[in-house]
Amino acid sequence: MPRQTKIFIPSLRSCLSHSIVALLAFYLGMHIGSATTGDAKHEDCLQQKKLGVTPSSPLQNNFNASRQNVWPESMKALFAGASRVSRDEFMQVFDIGVPLDKSTSQNHEVLLLHGPKTAPTMASATGISQIQTVSQATENCKIVKQILLDQSKQSCLALVGQWESFHVHKWVRNDGHPAVFENVPRSHKSIDDEQSFPRHGQTVLMAKQYWHYVDLLDELYAELKPIAAEIAGSDNTLVIMVCNKGQSMLLTNFVCAAKSRNINTSKILLFASDMYTHRLAQSLGLRSYHHEKLFKDTPEQAAKDYGDERFKAMMLIKIYAVHIINLLGHDVLFQDTDMIWFKDPLVYFQKQVPQGFDLYFQDDGQHTSKYAPYSPNTGFYYMRYNKRTQFLMSHLLRLGDVVMNTGSHQNVMNHVMAEHSSWRGLKVKTINRDEPDFPCGYHFHERKQFMNDMLSGKIKPYIFHMSWTKDKDEKIKYLQQLSEW
């Protein structure tokens, strides 16, 4: 007989028992799996903390999300990740000398875009990792390129893979043709506002004045060399001032105010553009230099307004004076005559100033694109002698027509320094207007509490510079209000 196969028909009891076992196995598997995942998450969290990665929103820093990089294949040669760090710490580590505005709730971190192989260890590949320290965020970077942005002007930033450009190229939408963008200069006012260029007559005139100065340079060098060396002394530093008869009242007030506080003025060399001022300076106990040929066309009268013809002429003399002393190999503190010394400022620049910079400027206070990035007040600055500053002054010397066209060397010097920073590694530092040491007209007009604290003695600056004024009469009136006249 053929062998019969028995068919096993499970009972209801056995079905229930097997189902319960299966459910228990499933539950245990889920539990064990969950525990394993939890342990992994815990380990990841510990590792993140160890590396300085802090929790953030899922969109910004989902550390355990898919490890596939969000950058598309078409951009992988440029970017491999992104991170963010404290703005204040970043600007301390990478100090380019600009007077940094205070951080805010919506502007207190810096975004770093990392190229291939430069992302921080364990940083997210799918979001913007928040890193605790700048050193951790840049641990794999050999080069850091720094861009300053003002996003209040509805600007977009385009990063283009290409061999390098060391400038930010600016495009602006044409209001008359909204679909059209035009490449514009950095300080444009509108799309139709063509930047002002020196007129031919200005260029010709400045060329004559430039060559007049160059022709006298050997003579000036020989005369000034022993004078400057004697004043400079062991610390190789002079305070340079320029004055004509029209501004001589301000010079007298400055010297008298310094002497009333027993501040030494022996480091000052005044370039007097006329004999009246030359004799006056000597009577005040200052070392003064006057060269009849160099100053023969310089006006004796005070400027009636900022940027007028007399004002422009004195700007050129200020450039000549700093250029020749720098050429002689000395450090220079240049200052205008509308100044009050409370303490000797040379102490600050020789002992307290942050090291590693070639020039240090008083903050003019105008943090606008016109004076970006440094906002330098060219009426008070300290310049170290070296090849970089020598080249800077040589370049500035040849831009007299641009100085005449703009009305002052402030804007011109600012742009030239920015170019030399990129081109020749010039290091410029502006002492922030929020610091108490070097207040000026900005504080007088915009920071009333600061001025009250200064007058009461709560704040004790080194100097006060009566800038931000129309003319000499305004300077005198405001100094009288401060009881400094």
Side-chain angles (χ1 to χ4, degrees):
M1 294 179 60
R3 186 176 180 180
Q4 294 181 345
T5 302
K6 294 184 178 179
I7 300 175
F8 177 74
I9 302 174
S11 67
L12 177 62
R13 181 178 180 179
S14 66
C15 286
L16 287 173
S17 63
H18 282 79
S19 297
I20 291 171
V21 171
L23 286 171
L24 285 171
F26 179 77
Y27 173 79
L28 288 172
M30 289 294 293
H31 180 74
I32 293 170
S34 176
T36 304
T37 304
D39 290 341
K41 287 182 178 180
H42 180 66
E43 290 299 321
D44 283 344
C45 185
L46 291 175
Q47 183 69 7
Q48 284 177 293
K49 288 181 178 180
K50 181 180 178 181
L51 294 167
V53 181
T54 58
S56 184
S57 68
L59 178 63
Q60 293 173 318
N61 188 22
N62 187 358
F63 184 84
N64 294 292
S66 168
R67 303 305 297 168
Q68 183 175 353
N69 199 306
V70 297
W71 302 101
E73 188 67 31
S74 60
M75 300 183 71
K76 284 187 177 179
L78 298 178
F79 305 114
S83 64
R84 53 194 176 95
V85 292
S86 163
R87 177 176 180 266
D88 292 335
E89 186 196 351
F90 183 89
M91 293 300 287
Q92 286 177 357
V93 175
F94 296 98
D95 186 358
I96 54 174
V98 301
L100 189 67
D101 287 341
K102 291 182 178 179
S103 295
T104 66
S105 61
Q106 295 186 345
N107 181 25
H108 66 92
E109 289 186 317
V110 170
L111 173 66
L112 286 86
L113 296 178
H114 298 279
K117 301 181 181 180
T118 69
T121 305
M122 295 297 290
S124 172
T126 61
I128 304 175
S129 304
Q130 186 184 46
I131 310 298
Q132 286 186 344
T133 69
V134 172
S135 61
Q136 291 169 340
T138 58
E139 62 182 343
N140 295 318
C141 301
K142 291 185 177 180
I143 298 172
V144 175
K145 299 176 183 178
Q146 197 170 350
I147 300 173
L148 306 182
L149 291 175
D150 179 2
Q151 292 294 74
S152 65
K153 300 177 181 178
Q154 292 183 277
S155 59
C156 300
L157 184 64
L159 302 178
V160 182
Q162 171 66 328
W163 44 275
E164 291 181 308
S165 170
F166 298 101
H167 291 81
V168 176
H169 305 277
K170 187 174 181 179
W171 295 78
V172 170
R173 190 183 295 277
N174 189 318
D175 291 336
H177 303 280
V180 177
F181 282 89
E182 294 191 31
N183 195 197
V184 298
R186 65 184 73 172
S187 58
H188 83 289
K189 293 180 180 178
S190 69
I191 200 70
D192 297 320
D193 179 41
E194 184 176 338
Q195 272 202 319
S196 180
F197 293 93
R199 297 185 298 276
H200 177 70
Q202 289 175 321
T203 301
V204 171
L205 177 61
M206 288 304 101
K208 290 180 180 179
Q209 292 194 16
Y210 168 77
W211 286 112
H212 176 65
Y213 171 72
V214 172
D215 288 343
L216 295 172
L217 199 53
D218 288 343
E219 185 178 334
L220 296 170
Y221 192 96
E223 289 182 4
L224 282 166
K225 185 175 182 179
I227 299 172
E230 181 184 350
I231 297 172
S234 59
D235 60 14
N236 196 38
T237 305
L238 295 86
V239 180
I240 298 300
M241 301 177 70
V242 172
C243 188
N244 65 1
K245 183 178 180 180
Q247 298 287 337
S248 59
M249 292 178 66
L250 292 168
L251 174 67
T252 303
N253 186 70
F254 161 73
V255 175
C256 291
K259 289 186 175 181
S260 72
R261 295 180 170 93
N262 296 316
I263 301 175
N264 186 8
T265 59
S266 63
K267 302 286 284 184
I268 296 174
L269 175 59
L270 179 80
F271 281 73
S273 64
D274 53 71
M275 285 304 299
Y276 173 88
T277 307
H278 180 59
R279 296 190 187 99
L280 173 66
Q282 290 176 325
S283 72
L284 293 170
L286 298 182
R287 297 294 295 271
S288 179
Y289 179 75
H290 175 75
H291 194 283
E292 192 67 35
K293 295 178 184 177
L294 178 63
F295 298 128
K296 65 183 180 69
D297 296 323
T298 305
E300 288 190 358
Q301 301 86 359
K304 292 183 178 180
D305 201 354
Y306 180 93
D308 68 11
E309 294 305 313
R310 296 172 185 171
F311 187 92
K312 295 174 185 178
M314 294 306 293
M315 292 298 105
L316 296 177
I317 300 302
K318 292 176 181 181
I319 295 173
Y320 296 162
V322 175
H323 173 261
I324 186 65
I325 299 301
N326 176 266
L327 195 64
L328 286 165
H330 301 295
D331 294 347
V332 172
L333 172 60
F334 176 85
Q335 69 165 51
D336 285 340
T337 56
D338 54 345
M339 195 77 58
I340 300 294
W341 280 7
F342 301 111
K343 296 179 286 186
D344 185 353
L346 286 178
V347 174
Y348 178 89
F349 290 108
Q350 294 173 348
K351 296 182 179 180
Q352 295 176 235
V353 75
Q355 298 302 307
F357 292 90
D358 303 313
L359 291 103
Y360 302 85
F361 281 84
Q362 179 183 48
D363 190 344
D364 189 72
Q366 298 190 68
H367 292 183
T368 62
S369 58
K370 180 178 180 181
Y371 296 102
Y374 297 117
S375 183
N377 190 313
T378 48
F380 187 82
Y381 64 93
Y382 186 87
M383 176 185 290
R384 300 191 191 281
Y385 166 73
N386 56 43
K387 291 182 179 180
R388 292 181 295 275
T389 57
Q390 194 175 65
F391 184 52
L392 170 73
M393 292 309 300
S394 177
H395 189 181
L396 187 63
L397 185 68
R398 294 190 290 271
L399 293 173
D401 55 345
V402 185
V403 173
M404 291 295 284
N405 189 60
T406 59
S408 171
H409 69 318
Q410 179 182 14
N411 190 263
V412 180
M413 192 170 186
N414 180 52
H415 289 312
V416 173
M417 288 190 303
E419 185 64 28
H420 278 238
S421 174
S422 171
W423 187 24
R424 286 292 185 262
L426 183 76
K427 296 176 177 61
V428 181
K429 177 72 173 178
T430 301
I431 301 163
N432 199 300
R433 65 188 184 186
D434 294 328
E435 297 180 24
D437 296 312
F438 301 101
C440 64
Y442 160 77
H443 298 81
F444 184 88
H445 294 289
E446 303 291 338
R447 300 279 293 275
K448 300 302 181 184
Q449 186 58 51
F450 180 96
M451 296 303 297
N452 288 335
D453 290 343
M454 187 183 85
L455 292 173
S456 68
K458 185 178 179 180
I459 292 176
K460 297 180 179 180
Y462 278 88
I463 60 99
F464 178 77
H465 182 191
M466 195 62 259
S467 56
W468 280 39
T469 51
K470 177 184 177 182
D471 55 22
K472 178 185 70 175
D473 293 338
E474 275 196 0
K475 295 178 186 294
I476 293 174
K477 179 177 71 173
Y478 295 150
L479 288 170
Q480 287 173 338
Q481 292 175 10
L482 297 174
S483 299
E484 291 293 347
W485 187 260

